[in-house]
Every structure is written in structure tokens, then in C-alpha cells.
Amino acid sequence: MIDALSYDFMQHALAAAVLASLACGLMGSLVVVNRLVFLAGGIAHAAYGGVGLSFFLGMPVIPTTVGFTLGASLLMGKLTLRRTDRSDTVVGVLWAAGMALGILLLDLSPGYNVDLMSYLFGSIMAVPGEDVLAMAALDVLLLAVVAYNYQDFLCLSFDREYARTAGVPVDRLHYLLLSLLGVSVVMIIQVVGLILVIALLTIPSRLAEYGAMSLAGMMVRASVYAMLFSLAGLWASYVLDVTAGAAIIALAALTFFIVQTLGWLRAALFRP
Amino acid sequence: MSHNAGPYAIEVEHLTVSYGPSPALLDVTVRIEPGLLAGVIGPNGGGKSTFIKAVLGFVKPDLGRVRILGQPVEKTKGLVAYVPQRGAVDWDFPITVEQVAMMGRYGRIPWWKDPGRQDKDLVHQALAMVRMEDFRHRQIGQLSGGQQQRVFMARALAQGAEVLLLDEPFAGVDAATERAILDVLSRARAAGKTLVVVHHDLATAAEYFDRLILIKQRCYGYGPPEAVLQEELLSEVYEGKLRLFGAPAGGGA
């Protein structure tokens, strides 16, 4: 493992994993307590439309995808703000439509034969240095915005109706949260890919929620857990020569199932 | 803070609210004096919760108006507070009793400031009033049902609310807990607060409340319990499904 660290690609991979974990801990905690997991899935898959668009128009991938995903996030935010009228179904439609648009645009892009697998499972072993810097900048942005709005996010997440009476700008925060989520999703896709982005947003955060006494505490713990899973998954992928993104999620999911099972067992054995 | 209190804590005039083609509330007019503990009673689906939500401004009325302490509800930020039903709260949420009560201060703390000494004092006073001081560092999921209700009352009190609206605080709690909640409601009333409580148990309504509001789409009565709990009024509202006052309302069959 130590000799592996001398490779540039491995250093970039480690940096990308740590930076993505920070974003996952912050945004994942908000996703879990606000029950936005399905919406996050919709945004992550709609993001693929942005990837297709960037290749079709010959534009830079990250800015185009971020822009497209922001648009998709705000649209889904508008449709789900009141949580009525089958809004979850509409999210499902946008989920599939964004993905299909991406594939069709890639098919129609001349001269590009893009490896679909790298977007599904990520390409953490091939993260360029400038992407690492971009992710660091995004982390700073996320930290600043969440810290600045922490009280309001706490109020919104815990009790939306109360937040309204307390004068918290609920609608504006809802859109802000989904915009941040959209940006984060594009960033995390770089590391673990499209399919697995949900796992890194949900698993560390749910594990962090057990025993956490504050939302901020949950965010810190979720970031640490995500880092541990990412670093251990990278190590496993190097040793076993398997796909890094899938290894990270397999480790996280295994931990999640063990913790859940222990919880059920304890409840079954020690409660009358 | 000064506000034009006026003679009424809550003034509801010709309130009409509809979710679909038929109105949930129709032409409801009620004026509640300050410093009272008022119960909202009526059959399930009769519009009790809608009434509370309309008073809070959560649902927009088709017609009519609501005034809190003489002002339109949008302008009374902080003076009116909502204590939600137990089922509406996420009990896994990583938050302590003290943090929930401190949430009552958030509307008044600018974003660049941490809660100050005055905010902390108000939170502690509120927790003391609902007798939850000793639990302030507990995560809210570790509390009993009655304790959880009291935490949300503390949040409303810390906010400095003069008017508190509670949605079924006695639902699903045992008799001792019901007493403890009632005790806290009485203490808040003694401190000059106006409390409006959605309640479903007619047997205890007369004992608990100073005023009753009987609602089934329309307001069938507002006044002291003995004026509202009239057999003919109740049998009209509950359509003979009520067996409380001696003889069955519908006769032998």
C-alpha cells in the first residue's frame, strides 16, 4: 500500500475520496433527515443527461453537467415543494428521462465512444489534478453555505411547519438545499459513479444518526465514516484488483447490514 | 415588545376553507378572549385540525379573516405558536430537548449570532415551566409521550408566544401523563397565555377547558362547557353516534 502512494493517480484518488466524503457527510445528513433519498436518486440519474449534453455539444463536462443538474434539481424542487399530487412519480419520470436523454445524446455524438461503465461506477483511479482542486473548492462552498444557514436548515429539517411560523424562509431553503445537492451529486459521481452515489449519501449518514445528539455532530460523524469507507475501499480495490467505487460501497453496505442486524438482535433479545 | 392586544386573543370571522369541491370549514366565526384554555371538539374529519391550521396561517382561507391579538396572522410572527401532534415529529432526529426549545428563539436570533444569555435564560425558564429541565440533554426519542409534548410546549413558550395552538396533545397518553400535560397547560394559562387545544374526549372536555368550540364544518357553538355540551346540539353534530349523557340519543333501536 505504501508504494502505491507514490503514484500520482493514487494520491489523486485519495484526495478525491477524502473531499467527496466531506461533501457526502454534509449533504447526506441533510438528505437523510429530510427524507430526500428518492429525490437525490432522481437528481443523480438526471445528471447523466448533462453528461450526454456536454459530449453532444462538445462542451466541458463538469460545468455543463453542473448546470444541467442544477436545472433538474430546481425543477424537482418545484414539483416536490408541497409534497402533493404524486410528486414522487414525477421525480421517477425525470429520473428515467434524464438518463435516457444522456444515452441518446451520447449515441448521437459523432466520434465519441464513451465508456458508460466509468460514469456508472466512477473513475476514481483516473481523477485529474484539476478535478481534485475543483472538488476542494466545492467543499469550501458547501461548508460555507451550510454553516451560514445552519440554524435555518436545522429548523427546516426538523419541523417544516414550525419553521414557517418562526419566519424561516422555507421555500428558499428548500431550493437552496436541492441546488447544493445537485452540485454535490455531480462531484461525487466523479468518485464512486452514478449508481453508487446514493449509497455514499445515505449509508454513512444513517450510521452517523445512531446516537448523534445534534445535526452538526451527525454531519461530522457521517464525513468521518464516509472517509473510512472510501479509504478502506480504495485499499481493498488495490489489493484485490477490483473496481474501486464498487468496493467502497460494498464495504459501506456490509457495515450497514451488520449494524442493522445487531440492532434488531439487541431489540429482540433485550426487550420483553 | 409592544402590540395592540385588543379585546380578543383570536378573532376568526366568516372563515371558509376548502381542499376540494366541498368546504372543510364553512363560515366559522369565533372570538376567543385572552388568558383562556379553550378546547376544540367535534367529530373526526369535522375540521378541527383545519381550524387550527387556518388560525396559524398554514392553509389559506377561501373567505374570511383571522386576527391574532388584533393583527393579521402574517404580522404576528412569534406571537402564535403551534405544538404538533406526536405523530408529526421525527423522533430519530439527532436533537436534544434543549436544542428543540432553543429553536423557539431562532426567529429572533440574527444568523451571525449565537444564542445569547437572554436566549438561554428564556429556554431554561420555558423548560422549567413544563418541568423538563432535568431532561435537557436527552435526545428527544428517549422521552415518553407526555414528556415529548411538554418539550414542544417549551419551544412555544421560549419563542415568547402569547397564543398556543395544540393538536391533540392527549392522544395516546396514559391518565397520569394526561394529568401532567394538563398541569402544564394550567401553568401556561396562569402565566397569561391563551391556549387552544384540539380534543377528542367529550367526557373530560367540561372538566379541562374554560371554553369549548364545537366544530363540524360549521361552528355549532362557542362558550363555557355547560353552554356547548347540550344534548340536542351534540346529537345533531355527532348524528346520534354519541352515548354520553344518560339515555342513548337515538332511542331503543
Side-chain angles (χ1 to χ4, degrees), chain B residues 13-18 23-28 60-65:
Chain B
E13 285 175 352
H14 306 295
L15 182 69
T16 300
V17 177
S18 52
L25 291 175
L26 187 61
D27 198 24
V28 171
K60 289 265 165 291
D62 300 338
L63 283 171
R65 63 167 199 173

Side-chain angles (χ1 to χ4, degrees), chain B residues 105-185:
Chain B
R105 302 301 308 157
Y106 281 3
R108 308 188 186 268
I109 304 172
W111 62 264
W112 65 87
K113 279 192 184 163
D114 282 336
R117 171 106 322 258
Q118 194 204 358
D119 298 308
K120 286 174 184 160
D121 287 347
L122 285 165
V123 163
H124 287 160
Q125 282 166 23
L127 287 172
M129 183 173 265
V130 302
R131 304 186 200 280
M132 285 298 292
E133 271 175 312
D134 295 343
F135 298 89
R136 63 180 184 273
H137 298 306
R138 294 271 188 99
Q139 193 267 336
I140 51 164
Q142 300 167 356
L143 304 174
S144 72
Q147 291 170 339
Q148 290 170 339
Q149 283 288 350
R150 280 143 63 192
V151 174
F152 283 90
M153 280 200 58
R155 178 175 71 177
L157 295 169
Q159 179 187 319
E162 293 298 322
V163 177
L164 278 69
L165 297 112
L166 296 89
D167 203 351
E168 301 246 18
F170 302 118
V173 300
D174 61 34
T177 305
E178 189 155 330
R179 281 281 149 201
I181 295 173
L182 190 66
D183 170 57
V184 165
L185 293 177

Side-chain angles (χ1 to χ4, degrees), chain B residues 75-96:
Chain B
K75 294 199 178 158
T76 56
K77 290 237 152 76
L79 285 179
V80 56
Y82 175 56
V83 179
Q85 254 183 316
R86 276 200 69 235
V89 176
D90 176 5
W91 299 109
D92 280 344
F93 201 96
I95 194 166
T96 60

Side-chain angles (χ1 to χ4, degrees), chain A residues 5-267:
Chain A
L5 290 176
S6 61
Y7 297 114
D8 262 6
F9 76 85
M10 203 61 190
Q11 288 169 3
H12 288 169
L14 287 174
V18 167
L19 291 169
S21 297
L22 189 60
C24 282
L26 276 178
M27 295 315 298
S29 296
L30 287 168
V31 164
V32 166
V33 297
N34 281 287
R35 301 191 175 90
L36 293 175
V37 174
F38 185 65
L39 205 71
I43 290 171
H45 285 77
Y48 196 74
V51 175
L53 195 66
S54 68
F55 280 99
F56 185 71
L57 298 176
M59 284 160 42
V61 178
I62 296 268
T64 310
T65 311
V66 166
F68 184 89
T69 311
L70 269 179
S73 305
L74 292 175
L75 179 59
M76 290 191 207
K78 171 103 185 105
L79 294 168
T80 54
L81 185 59
R82 304 286 166 209
R83 296 182 183 189
T84 50
D85 299 336
R86 299 280 180 272
S87 57
D88 61 329
T89 308
V90 184
V91 171
V93 172
L94 288 173
W95 173 313
M99 189 93 196
L101 178 71
I103 294 172
L104 288 175
L105 287 174
L106 281 180
D107 286 345
L108 295 173
S109 301
Y112 281 105
N113 193 1
V114 178
D115 178 14
L116 190 64
M117 285 297 279
S118 83
Y119 283 98
L120 294 181
F121 287 101
S123 45
I124 193 167
M125 291 303 179
V127 181
E130 55 266 33
D131 279 13
V132 173
L133 286 178
M135 286 161 90
L138 280 166
D139 270 357
V140 171
L141 174 82
L142 289 180
L143 270 172
V145 175
V146 171
Y148 182 105
N149 293 288
Y150 180 74
Q151 283 184 1
D152 285 353
F153 272 132
L154 176 64
C155 228
L156 171 92
S157 307
F158 182 59
D159 188 341
R160 230 168 238 237
E161 287 194 319
Y162 182 80
R164 269 184 220 282
T165 59
V168 172
V170 167
D171 294 5
R172 189 177 67 76
L173 278 175
H174 176 80
Y175 289 122
L176 179 62
L177 176 56
L178 292 182
S179 305
L180 292 178
L181 185 58
V183 174
S184 313
V185 155
V186 173
M187 172 172 161
I188 303 161
I189 282 176
Q190 294 291 306
V191 182
V192 290
L194 187 58
I195 293 177
L196 307 174
V197 68
I198 300 305
L200 213 46
L201 277 173
T202 52
I203 296 172
S205 304
R206 181 58 186 146
L207 291 173
E209 195 173 23
Y210 296 119
M213 299 302 254
S214 70
L215 184 59
M218 180 179 171
M219 288 169 168
V220 170
R221 289 164 61 147
S223 296
V224 171
Y225 293 166
M227 277 175 210
L228 292 177
F229 289 136
S230 303
L231 298 179
L234 277 180
W235 175 76
S237 82
Y238 181 76
V239 171
L240 302 173
D241 192 23
V242 291
T243 309
I248 292 168
I249 302 307
L251 263 175
L254 188 66
T255 310
F256 180 76
F257 288 129
I258 291 171
V259 169
Q260 283 285 0
T261 309
L262 287 177
W264 287 327
L265 280 177
R266 203 172 56 176

